[in-house]
Amino acid sequence: MAQKFHIKKNDVVVVIAGSHKGKQGKILEVRSAKNRAVVEGVAMIKRHLKKSQEHPQGTIAEREGTIHVSNLMLLSRYESSKRAKKPAAAAAKA
């Protein structure tokens, strides 16, 4: 049976924990077998590709890695929660 997550493909999420904390992006893929998701522009990794017809010299390609779904939160929920930094004007008023 497939596992149900609080996020799905094409949702905009914020990373709330880990080395990429604070970054946000759109979910490109959810990998339910390992409870991980691929987020656009977050957790970029370098992949060394050997020589081929497309890349005669070989190349270093950058692509997104995966992030555990427990470290992700929907952007709409994040902005309405206490986690988001409130504007300085509201803090000065209090």
Side-chain angles (χ1 to χ4, degrees), residues 23-35:
K23 292 183 182 178
Q24 53 184 289
K26 185 172 77 168
I27 294 184
L28 302 175
E29 180 184 356
V30 176
R31 298 182 182 169
S32 59
K34 292 198 172 193
N35 297 338

Side-chain angles (χ1 to χ4, degrees), residues 22-87:
K23 292 183 182 178
Q24 53 184 289
K26 185 172 77 168
I27 294 184
L28 302 175
E29 180 184 356
V30 176
R31 298 182 182 169
S32 59
K34 292 198 172 193
N35 297 338
R36 298 178 83 79
V38 177
V39 182
E40 184 177 41
V42 180
M44 299 302 286
I45 58 173
K46 292 184 187 286
R47 173 94 168 110
H48 294 257
L49 301 175
K50 65 182 182 177
K51 296 177 184 178
S52 65
Q53 283 188 326
E54 297 90 42
H55 307 287
Q57 295 298 313
T59 187
I60 300 173
E62 249 190 309
R63 62 186 174 106
E64 289 89 0
T66 61
I67 301 174
H68 199 272
V69 293
S70 67
N71 295 336
L72 300 173
M73 180 185 273
L74 287 172
L75 181 63
S76 57
R77 181 172 243 168
Y78 177 79
E79 288 175 342
S80 65
S81 72
K82 293 180 182 177
R83 288 181 183 273
K85 302 284 189 258
K86 303 296 181 207

